[in-house]
Amino acid sequence: MDNQALLNSLKEIFSEDQINTNYEDLYDAAADRYKKYAKAKKVLDVPVPIAIVYPKSAEEVSKLLVFCNENSINVIPRSGKTATEGGLENWKEQTIVIDAKNLNKIIRIDTYNMEATVQAGVPLQELEDEARKLGYTTGHSPQSKPVAKMGGLVATRSIGQFSTLYGGIEDMVVGLECVFPDGHIARIKNVPRRAGGPDIRHIVIGNEGTLCYITEVTVKLFKFFPENSKFYGYLIKDIDTGIKVLREVVVNGYRPSIARVYSEEDARQHFYHFHKGKCVLIFMAEGNRDIVNATCAGIEAAVEKFKDGIIEQVDGQLISDWYDHLNWSQQDIDDEIQGMIENDRHDGFTTEISANWETISKIYHNVINRIRNEFPRAHDLTMLGGHSSHSYINGTNMYFVYNYNINCAPEDEMRIYHHPIHSIIVEETLKLGGSMCHHHGIGKYRTEWTKEEHGSAYYMLEKLKEAFDPKGIMNFGTIYPQEEGLKYIK
Ligand SMILES: Cc1cc2nc3c(=O)[nH]c(=O)nc-3n(C[C@H](O)[C@H](O)[C@H](O)COP(=O)(O)OP(=O)(O)OC[C@H]3O[C@@H](n4cnc5c(N)ncnc54)[C@H](O)[C@@H]3O)c2cc1C
């Protein structure tokens, strides 16, 4: 089918105002923040999609997917456009982007059953603002909260700043509606728990648009008690002490909403006004007063146990102020891109991994040593460090952060700078049994390691693709490694 015939067919499903073929918008849709510098410099090496469409219902998504499936046309589901790993990048000559912009209704906020149901294109911030007016919260607060939308947040298995208390999105999703490439609309009902076979929500949560299109989501609600929140901050000797304190708090059953430790370098960029060149450990206790009091006692006891590694406590207000300015607005994202257009030759990336308590510090030090010693452009690094920000009973994450000056052509940046650093982090993590991917998803640029990440269980992931998307029309190149995509990776 040629492109004109394809567009004519789209007009049989959608009205004119639901089909976008504006070149600027198509160029924008060709890649996400992974290649933000090359994109800003207008040197993207990937094809632009044929059209962006804006369905208004699950039925319209279904008709479109049936058409694309019958004609082997690639589709890329899209919501808030904050993807960082290439999940929105296009690797096919004929691609349709399905944007959730018109799936924008908050359907129900039910404060008796403690659930909120929204369409996929509702920004999390909008839902959170409505819930808070009623004295409730979703408990979900990723740094992209002002921009990311519910469909994308579920599709990437996102996690927020309060995860130690509320969990990741997988702990929040009660039920959902999604559409498969054969047009089937599946609705997973909202119940508190069930033992009706495997938990099929988890086929959808984290699928990154490779199995189905999410149209509606129901998440839990929690009572919100901002007046009780208490913040703690400490300067500490090293990151290992911080990890030990985090472990002590969590394994004793306490659930602060925020529990984080920052390396010296990362602390410098987050807490420049008080870090004094040291690592920083922070907590926030949240919830009803009795729980906050107990959590504070748990934090203080853990800090006391490791007091030899604690340098000084700082005013909790400093941590509260830091939190108030943590999230990124659309304006912040646009300003960064505008800076690059105007010749700002500096970029920053993150690679977030997880491992058990015993292993996480080893991975951290192995990675930092290897990057400093092996990365040929180490002299261009302006920052290399990380923080642990999401803790569990059996381990925690490490969010490596690396910024550098770009001394090469824009189209070579990812190959020369990002790929070698990112590879060291992934290799060191997999070597010691951790996960290469704590929250941003696999996208297209961790597919080199998908098979190694899953080992013998990759069989299960592969069978899901064969069952739900046998023609491979859903987000080609994402999660599942593709030979054809290697030219974009290396
Ligand atoms: C400044 C910044 C801070 C961030 N902070 C965090 C953080 O704290 N925690 C975190 O987890 N992530 C974070 N991220 C990453 C990103 O925000 C998350 O991955 C988020 O969940 C993406 O949501 P989105 O609506 O923007 O999705 P998009 O970017 O539109 O899409 C992301 C992926 O999901 C798929 N997808 C989108 N919509 C659908 C749908 N309706 N059905 C099926 N598949 C779909 C896409 O194909 C793509 O693969 C951050 C990103 C930025 C830019």
Side-chain angles (χ1 to χ4, degrees), residues 109-143:
I109 296 184
D110 176 350
T111 57
Y112 191 74
N113 293 306
M114 305 293 277
E115 293 171 358
T117 300
V118 293
Q119 288 186 306
V122 171
L124 171 58
Q125 185 76 63
E126 203 175 302
L127 172 60
E128 184 65 23
D129 290 348
E130 289 307 309
R132 286 200 185 179
K133 281 182 200 160
L134 303 170
Y136 294 82
T137 176
T138 61
H140 202 35
S141 186
Q143 208 181 357

Side-chain angles (χ1 to χ4, degrees), residues 168-466:
I169 193 91
E170 67 276 18
D171 302 301
M172 300 166 177
V173 172
V174 177
L176 52 82
E177 180 189 72
C178 60
V179 190
F180 288 90
D182 64 0
H184 182 79
I185 302 174
R187 178 173 279 280
I188 301 178
K189 69 180 176 182
N190 305 327
V191 284
R193 182 182 190 264
R194 62 174 157 170
D199 192 337
I200 49 180
R201 289 173 299 186
H202 292 277
I203 295 173
V204 181
I205 301 171
N207 89 83
E208 296 186 49
T210 64
L211 302 176
C212 61
Y213 192 90
I214 301 161
T215 48
E216 193 185 292
V217 181
T218 300
V219 288
K220 293 174 189 168
L221 290 174
F222 302 87
K223 282 199 166 184
F224 189 49
F225 304 94
E227 65 282 6
N228 297 339
S229 296
K230 207 148 177 237
F231 292 85
Y232 287 86
Y234 303 89
L235 305 185
I236 58 172
K237 274 190 188 151
D238 50 34
I239 197 160
D240 298 341
T241 300
I243 289 170
K244 283 182 195 149
V245 179
L246 293 182
R247 180 184 176 281
E248 185 69 15
V249 169
V250 173
V251 301
N252 281 304
Y254 299 106
R255 296 288 174 264
S257 53
I258 296 177
R260 295 179 168 221
V261 59
Y262 287 77
S263 74
E264 291 91 341
E265 303 80 359
D266 207 6
R268 188 173 305 126
Q269 58 175 16
H270 277 267
F271 309 109
Y272 56 91
H273 46 314
F274 68 80
H275 72 96
K276 296 185 185 167
K278 304 296 177 197
C279 292
V280 170
L281 172 69
I282 62 171
F283 293 99
M284 172 182 176
E286 186 189 326
N288 83 42
R289 197 170 300 281
D290 293 341
I291 289 176
V292 168
N293 288 341
T295 309
C296 290
I299 293 166
E300 287 166 16
V303 168
E304 176 62 21
K305 180 166 174 184
F306 292 97
K307 62 174 185 272
D308 289 351
I310 308 288
I311 298 168
E312 67 180 72
Q313 184 168 5
V314 300
D315 183 357
Q317 189 58 42
L318 292 169
I319 312 304
S320 173
D321 294 344
W322 160 82
Y323 174 71
D324 287 342
H325 300 97
L326 186 56
N327 291 343
W328 278 51
S329 65
Q330 187 63 53
Q331 192 60 49
D332 295 328
I333 291 175
D334 294 345
D335 286 350
E336 186 191 28
I337 302 301
Q338 191 55 36
M340 288 175 165
I341 293 170
E342 288 166 11
N343 220 16
D344 185 357
R345 297 170 65 88
H346 190 251
D347 207 353
F349 276 93
T350 62
T351 301
E352 17 65 49
I353 59 99
S354 68
N356 64 24
W357 290 116
E358 205 181 329
T359 316
I360 200 78
S361 290
K362 290 179 199 154
I363 295 175
Y364 178 77
H365 295 297
N366 291 352
V367 163
I368 299 293
N369 289 338
R370 261 192 76 189
I371 295 175
R372 288 210 175 110
N373 295 320
E374 287 177 28
F375 176 48
R377 297 286 184 118
H379 52 276
D380 284 331
L381 285 170
T382 55
M383 188 276 178
L384 172 66
H387 58 263
S388 161
S389 42
H390 306 278
S391 286
Y392 311 89
I393 193 82
N394 57 337
T396 190
N397 80 313
M398 185 53 65
Y399 191 89
F400 288 99
V401 186
Y402 38 102
N403 302 336
Y404 46 79
N405 290 321
I406 306 168
N407 285 312
C408 68
E411 53 272 42
D412 295 331
E413 180 213 345
M414 301 312 278
R415 188 176 51 78
I416 292 180
Y417 291 96
H418 177 273
H419 190 264
I421 300 174
H422 183 65
S423 301
I424 289 174
I425 299 170
V426 171
E427 281 165 25
E428 289 303 317
T429 302
L430 292 176
K431 208 190 292 173
L432 292 183
S435 169
M436 64 156 175
C437 194
H438 175 265
H439 59 279
H440 285 164
I442 288 178
K444 294 190 172 62
Y445 290 94
R446 293 188 204 192
T447 55
E448 280 175 80
W449 302 280
T450 307
K451 288 185 181 168
E452 203 181 333
E453 167 74 23
H454 287 280
S456 57
Y458 183 72
Y459 168 83
M460 297 166 75
L461 211 59
E462 207 168 24
K463 292 289 169 196
L464 286 176
K465 187 74 172 167
E466 284 168 23

Side-chain angles (χ1 to χ4, degrees), residues 77-83 88 99-101 120-123 144 146-153 330 333:
R78 186 172 92 168
S79 292
K81 302 201 291 177
T82 61
L88 297 178
D99 188 292
K101 184 176 77 171
V122 171
S144 53
V147 189
K149 298 178 177 176
M150 295 306 286
L153 288 158
Q330 187 63 53
I333 291 175

